[in-house]
Amino acid sequence: MDDQELKNKEREQADNKMIMDAFNHLLDTYLHSSHRRKVDIITKAFNFARQAHKGVRRLSGEPYIMHPIAVAQIACEEMGLGSTSICAALLHDVVEDTDYTTEDIENIFGPKIAQIVDGLTKISGGIFGDHASAQAENFKKLLLTMSDDIRVILIKICDRLHNMRTLASQPKNKQYKIAGETLYIYAPIANRLGLNKIKTELEDLSFKFEHPEEYDRIMQKLSMTEKERQDLFDSFTAPIRESLDKMGFTYTIKARVKSPYSIWCKMQNKHVTFEEIYDILAVRIVFIPKDRKDEINECFQIYVALNQIYKSHPDRLRDWVNHPKANGYQALHATLMSKQGKWIEVQIRSDRMDDIAEQGFAAHWKYKEKNSTDEDTELNKWLGTIKEILDDPQPDAMDFLDSIKLNLFATEIFVFTPKGEVKTLPSGSTVLDFAFQIHTFLGSHCIGAKVNHRLVPLSHKLQSGDQVEVLSSNSQHVQPSWINFVSTAKARSKIQAILRRESREQQIAGEETFKQWLKDKDLQPSPDIITKLCALHEIDTQENFFIALGKKTVILSDKDLEALNAKKSSSASGWKKFVPFIGRKKKEEATHPVSKELLVADKNFNKKIPCVISERTIGMYIFPQCCHPIPGDDILGFIDGRGHIEIHKRSCPTASKLKASFGPRILDATWDMHRILYFDATIEVEGIDRKGILHDVAEIISNKMNVNIHKVSFTADQGIFSGQIELRVHDREDVKTIIGRLKKVDDLKEVRQIM
């Protein structure tokens, strides 16, 4: 046996040991769960999948079968799913990646496992394809499959979680695509299904790959402040433990530390530093009820006991035990003042509530009656809403995703019908949302409502506890402006469907009117005539021209005929390239010459190589106004419809949609600037008005830091001032330094960067 054969044999033996260790760990986890012992079928699924994927390796170099085993492990250990789900997880890539069919799976493993594997195959390869339309179709497939068997989406989330845990082996542009897609779709769905632990890990992993330096910085600061948090936790919980022991409760008290992604979001949204975030630590009390039927009352007994030890914040009691969230989450949240003078949130839950908070809907099965076959009603409501949206899919895939996200991210409010039925709606919902929630006909003819017996318009925003009686009239019809009055996906999709239907009818009527006019004027139809008439009436598209004719807002006459016969005049208008974020430079400021030709990503363009933005290449890229990136920001590239490359911040909302919808067109991008060019940045300040405050601000920026102030605008009212300062800086580090120094100015209370 030569050296190569020996190495191959050793590698094969090592692979076999690794595979069997992973599978035995899976079996061991399953046998320690509360599910029935169906080891035979799990072993059969493992052997089948192992044979099907034989010889195939992942990018990381490990045998491919390790991925299905890992997905099954997550399904079993972290979601609490049973043998059917474990088998489906082991087999989830077999139909897509090998010659086996769904029929083969059904013949060997039965219809239920085959149905789940088929659902997973349909939505595989990432939800999103190269084009938004394909992406919307795949997303619809995913959601429709969910309603057939919820385990399809649960296993798909397990699959995504393992892909995120092993994302380091992928090239950078793939990392941004997968991380963006995860944040945009998978984390919200995990949240909506109550998978809090998995949702948090998906967010943190996405954050880690999109903003590695920021992630490392926050993790380092969490590590440095760990002892301080532990001391606070120990002193805060000591009297609580004493009280609960006296009351005879069996309980555990855990410290819950805010996730790195949540901390970063708060730093971005509130424009604060890590040190200025005060709710990093929360306390979770998980108790085993003395009487399972009385667990809600026991939650409040603990709350009363806590109030005898610490003062509670009157506006921060959240009762999710009597009114669970739509994803099944139950807990009592209270905010208490510690002896150290810090507000600390305390979450009170039973062990059942804690399982549901961590494992979501999967945990409901653990506590169901043995003979109960009822599906979770809240989940069915949500899936019903999704199905209604899919009945009238919107033509624009991005709009479709946004309308789904409206419901995924929403905080719920509870509204009552005149008969006292409770309806759950997203926070910010209006009377019109409520009307469409009841029935499409009621929504489309809504003229207003009585809220708590008071007459309000259909744009009125509802609050939790409102009682709503919808008023309607057959003479009322859907108006285009209604789209501005709704926030639920159902209402938005129904309004748009009705408007599209009406527009189509008006367009057909307009086309008939146009044909008749041409016939009367003895003209032959041609695209040139329509183009000229659109320009004459200042209408942007042919469809809108026909709609205007159908509505009779445009009436064709002899003047139109005269205009058609007039000599054609044209003015050339070219598309103007711009780099809007580069600061206006004074004559004396030195800059490198920039390339004037836009880079074109043709079929030979290598997407794996990062775009390097330097003084020499900056003119080759487009910088849209949406996020205003400057050197020092984490950035990515996006190939637009013309093949040109846009540069966005990785945290830009537009970039988030692009990552989720057009993943193959995402590129890695880095800066290579040498503090020569200047860029615009805007800082916002607020504080107490006093004599000389503006001088102090200008002194720090202009004299001490030698930074050019481009524009200043300040206003003062009743002793409070606010203002914006537009600066010329080299990079993001300049902005951070300026903000840090301004925060030390007396009476300057808020300093934040807005651009």
Side-chain angles (χ1 to χ4, degrees):
M1 186 181 293
D2 61 24
D3 288 348
Q4 189 58 47
E5 285 178 338
L6 187 63
K7 283 180 183 176
N8 290 343
K9 189 169 184 180
E10 286 174 353
R11 186 179 188 183
E12 188 179 339
Q13 287 173 346
D15 285 348
N16 286 337
K17 183 178 185 310
M18 177 170 60
I19 292 166
M20 290 313 299
D21 285 350
F23 179 63
N24 288 330
H25 176 54
L26 170 64
L27 279 184
D28 190 49
T29 307
Y30 171 69
L31 289 170
H32 282 85
S33 72
S34 57
H35 291 282
R36 286 177 292 173
R37 306 288 179 260
K38 292 187 175 180
V39 173
D40 290 350
I41 194 165
I42 293 174
T43 306
K44 185 178 177 183
F46 161 69
N47 289 327
F48 185 87
R50 185 180 184 184
Q51 184 61 36
H53 294 300
K54 191 174 182 180
V56 182
R57 294 185 179 274
R58 301 189 86 208
L59 279 180
S60 60
E62 68 181 14
Y64 193 88
I65 188 63
M66 293 299 292
H67 169 62
I69 295 172
V71 174
Q73 183 71 36
I74 294 168
C76 178
E77 184 175 2
E78 299 180 50
M79 279 197 190
L81 301 178
S83 60
T84 302
S85 300
I86 293 169
C87 290
L90 288 167
L91 299 165
H92 79 272
D93 278 335
V94 166
V95 173
E96 187 192 4
D97 293 345
T98 74
D99 293 333
Y100 289 104
T101 64
T102 308
E103 288 73 25
D104 294 330
I105 302 293
E106 184 170 351
N107 290 335
I108 300 167
F109 296 99
K112 178 50 71 177
I113 291 173
Q115 182 191 2
I116 298 172
V117 172
D118 184 47
L120 288 160
T121 304
K122 284 175 183 170
I123 57 173
S124 61
I127 299 176
F128 309 109
D130 288 348
H131 304 289
S133 56
Q135 163 226 3
E137 284 304 313
N138 286 331
F139 191 41
K140 281 184 279 183
K141 281 182 196 170
L142 171 109
L143 294 163
L144 283 171
T145 313
M146 280 174 65
S147 54
D148 292 333
D149 193 318
I150 187 63
R151 286 174 288 196
V152 172
I153 188 60
L154 292 175
I155 296 167
K156 191 65 189 171
I157 290 171
C158 297
D159 179 38
R160 175 49 56 117
L161 179 57
H162 185 247
N163 284 335
M164 288 301 298
R165 287 173 177 174
T166 56
L167 196 58
S169 59
Q170 294 280 357
K172 291 282 187 194
N173 59 323
K174 280 278 185 70
Q175 288 179 2
Y176 300 150
K177 170 206 178 289
I178 294 168
E181 189 179 275
T182 299
L183 266 186
Y184 197 71
I185 294 297
Y186 284 96
I189 290 180
N191 182 48
R192 200 65 173 82
L193 295 176
L195 302 164
N196 183 61
K197 194 174 177 183
I198 287 175
K199 182 264 303 187
T200 301
E201 187 177 353
L202 288 173
E203 288 175 342
D204 284 344
L205 286 168
S206 298
F207 174 42
K208 178 181 177 180
F209 285 103
E210 289 214 291
H211 303 280
E213 290 178 6
E214 298 284 349
Y215 176 84
D216 289 342
R217 197 173 295 130
I218 289 173
M219 290 300 289
Q220 188 178 8
K221 291 195 173 183
L222 281 172
S223 177
M224 287 165 60
T225 54
E226 187 176 1
K227 186 180 184 309
E228 182 186 328
R229 278 196 309 278
Q230 188 61 47
D231 291 345
L232 176 61
F233 174 78
D234 291 342
S235 61
F236 180 77
T237 56
I240 295 175
R241 292 178 194 277
E242 193 178 327
S243 178
L244 294 180
D245 288 342
K246 281 181 186 173
M247 295 168 74
F249 278 108
T250 304
Y251 64 90
T252 56
I253 301 182
K254 310 174 193 173
R256 192 229 66 184
V257 179
K258 207 174 187 70
S259 71
Y261 178 72
S262 296
I263 292 170
W264 182 75
C265 285
K266 194 156 192 176
M267 288 167 65
Q268 301 303 305
N269 296 335
K270 302 282 187 184
H271 303 284
V272 294
T273 63
F274 178 90
E275 288 72 24
E276 292 172 283
I277 297 176
Y278 297 113
D279 61 345
I280 288 176
L281 175 70
V283 171
R284 185 173 295 156
I285 299 171
V286 180
F287 68 95
I288 298 173
K290 299 169 187 174
D291 179 353
R292 180 70 61 190
K293 293 176 183 175
D294 201 36
E295 63 181 358
I296 290 176
N297 284 335
E298 291 182 22
C299 281
F300 280 95
Q301 287 172 22
I302 293 172
Y303 171 68
V304 170
L306 295 184
N307 270 268
Q308 291 170 352
I309 304 168
Y310 298 111
K311 294 285 185 188
S312 65
H313 195 298
D315 299 328
R316 293 193 195 167
L317 177 65
R318 298 287 179 266
D319 179 8
W320 300 116
V321 289
N322 284 308
H323 301 287
K325 290 186 180 182
N327 61 15
Y329 179 84
Q330 276 185 291
L332 194 61
H333 289 199
T335 303
L336 306 174
M337 176 60 75
S338 69
K339 303 291 190 223
Q340 288 82 0
K342 291 185 177 180
W343 289 109
I344 295 178
E345 185 184 77
V346 179
Q347 301 167 358
I348 305 167
R349 312 172 175 171
S350 69
D351 55 344
R352 180 190 66 84
M353 296 173 189
D354 190 57
D355 277 349
I356 290 169
E358 295 302 313
Q359 295 187 334
F361 282 106
H364 281 278
W365 303 331
K366 184 174 169 183
Y367 295 94
K368 277 187 178 175
E369 297 295 323
K370 287 183 180 175
N371 299 324
S372 170
T373 55
D374 293 339
E375 290 290 329
D376 198 288
T377 53
E378 289 292 349
L379 178 61
N380 279 342
K381 269 191 221 170
W382 184 61
L383 293 173
T385 303
I386 297 297
K387 273 197 160 182
E388 286 183 6
I389 295 166
L390 298 175
D391 289 341
D392 283 310
Q394 295 162 31
D396 189 313
M398 300 300 271
D399 285 349
F400 176 79
L401 271 179
D402 282 340
S403 62
I404 296 291
K405 274 168 65 75
L406 284 172
N407 275 6
L408 288 176
F409 280 134
T411 305
E412 292 87 1
I413 59 171
F414 305 98
V415 182
F416 295 89
T417 67
K419 293 182 179 178
E421 295 174 25
V422 178
K423 298 288 179 184
T424 305
L425 288 166
S427 178
S429 293
T430 62
V431 163
L432 197 53
D433 286 306
F434 180 79
F436 274 104
Q437 182 87 351
I438 302 295
H439 198 279
T440 301
F441 181 85
L442 191 62
S444 58
H445 293 87
C446 176
I447 55 173
K450 285 184 178 177
V451 175
N452 306 326
H453 310 292
R454 185 171 61 87
L455 200 60
V456 297
L458 43 77
S459 60
H460 175 82
K461 285 193 176 181
L462 300 172
Q463 306 291 326
S464 259
D466 282 346
Q467 189 164 34
V468 186
E469 180 188 350
V470 176
L471 306 175
S472 63
S473 167
N474 286 336
S475 61
Q476 175 73 296
H477 296 287
V478 172
Q479 306 295 319
S481 61
W482 283 16
I483 210 75
N484 302 317
F485 302 154
V486 293
S487 63
T488 58
K490 178 178 179 179
R492 186 179 291 272
S493 64
K494 291 296 181 186
I495 290 168
Q496 289 176 333
I498 292 166
L499 290 174
R500 282 199 304 277
R501 189 168 61 245
E502 290 178 354
S503 293
R504 184 63 192 143
E505 290 168 1
Q506 289 161 347
Q507 187 178 334
I508 292 168
E511 287 170 0
E512 291 302 319
T513 302
F514 181 64
K515 285 177 188 172
Q516 189 59 47
W517 184 78
L518 290 176
K519 190 176 178 183
D520 293 345
K521 303 300 179 187
D522 198 25
L523 293 171
Q524 291 298 316
S526 77
D528 191 43
I529 291 177
I530 298 174
T531 303
K532 287 178 180 176
L533 288 173
C534 283
L536 184 66
H537 292 280
E538 297 181 344
I539 294 174
D540 55 352
T541 65
Q542 175 180 315
E543 288 79 9
N544 288 341
F545 173 67
F546 288 136
I547 290 168
L549 287 179
K551 286 182 175 178
K552 296 188 169 45
T553 53
V554 167
I555 297 175
L556 297 175
S557 64
D558 290 338
K559 285 184 179 178
D560 295 285
L561 187 61
E562 290 168 13
L564 289 175
N565 292 329
K567 189 177 179 182
K568 179 184 175 185
S569 64
S570 66
S571 60
S573 63
W575 177 71
K576 189 179 179 185
K577 170 182 79 80
F578 65 99
V579 185
F581 73 111
I582 300 178
R584 304 169 193 83
K585 299 173 187 63
K586 293 184 177 178
K587 288 181 182 177
E588 66 271 14
E589 288 173 357
T591 63
H592 281 194
V594 296
S595 170
K596 294 180 180 178
E597 290 299 318
L598 282 174
L599 183 66
V600 177
D602 56 20
K603 61 182 180 181
N604 297 319
F605 185 80
N606 189 343
K607 295 180 183 177
K608 293 182 180 179
I609 297 175
C611 304
V612 180
I613 317 296
S614 67
E615 288 84 357
R616 186 179 60 81
T617 63
I618 196 166
M620 298 162 66
Y621 302 96
I622 297 170
F623 292 82
Q625 294 280 30
C626 52
C627 58
H628 201 75
I630 71 173
D633 289 332
D634 290 335
I635 53 172
L636 54 76
F638 168 69
I639 303 171
D640 69 10
R642 300 182 183 89
H644 300 136
I645 297 172
E646 297 177 2
I647 301 297
H648 293 266
K649 286 185 187 176
R650 289 183 215 157
S651 57
C652 166
T654 302
S656 296
K657 292 184 181 182
L658 295 174
K659 283 179 283 189
S661 307
F662 305 100
R665 285 152 64 178
I666 297 296
L667 307 170
D668 186 18
T670 60
W671 298 100
D672 183 26
M673 306 298 280
H674 303 89
R675 296 181 63 80
I676 295 170
L677 295 183
Y678 282 85
F679 300 82
D680 290 339
T682 304
I683 289 175
E684 202 168 61
V685 293
E686 290 177 1
I688 298 166
D689 192 18
R690 63 166 169 81
K691 190 175 180 180
I693 187 86
L694 186 55
H695 172 269
D696 291 350
V697 170
E699 173 74 14
I700 282 179
I701 296 173
S702 293
N703 295 347
K704 291 188 178 176
M705 297 200 62
N706 198 27
V707 172
N708 182 20
I709 298 178
H710 179 63
K711 184 180 175 184
V712 176
S713 60
F714 270 60
T715 57
D717 183 31
Q718 298 180 14
I720 303 295
F721 82 89
S722 61
Q724 288 188 356
I725 309 164
E726 292 183 17
L727 307 171
R728 313 285 310 295
V729 297
H730 289 302
D731 52 31
R732 186 63 63 206
E733 203 54 47
D734 281 355
V735 180
K736 287 180 181 174
T737 305
I738 292 165
I739 288 176
R741 295 198 180 180
L742 287 177
K743 284 186 174 183
K744 296 176 182 176
V745 173
D746 289 342
D747 297 324
L748 210 57
K749 301 300 181 187
E750 286 284 339
V751 185
R752 53 186 171 268
Q753 179 221 331
I754 58 172
M755 281 182 69

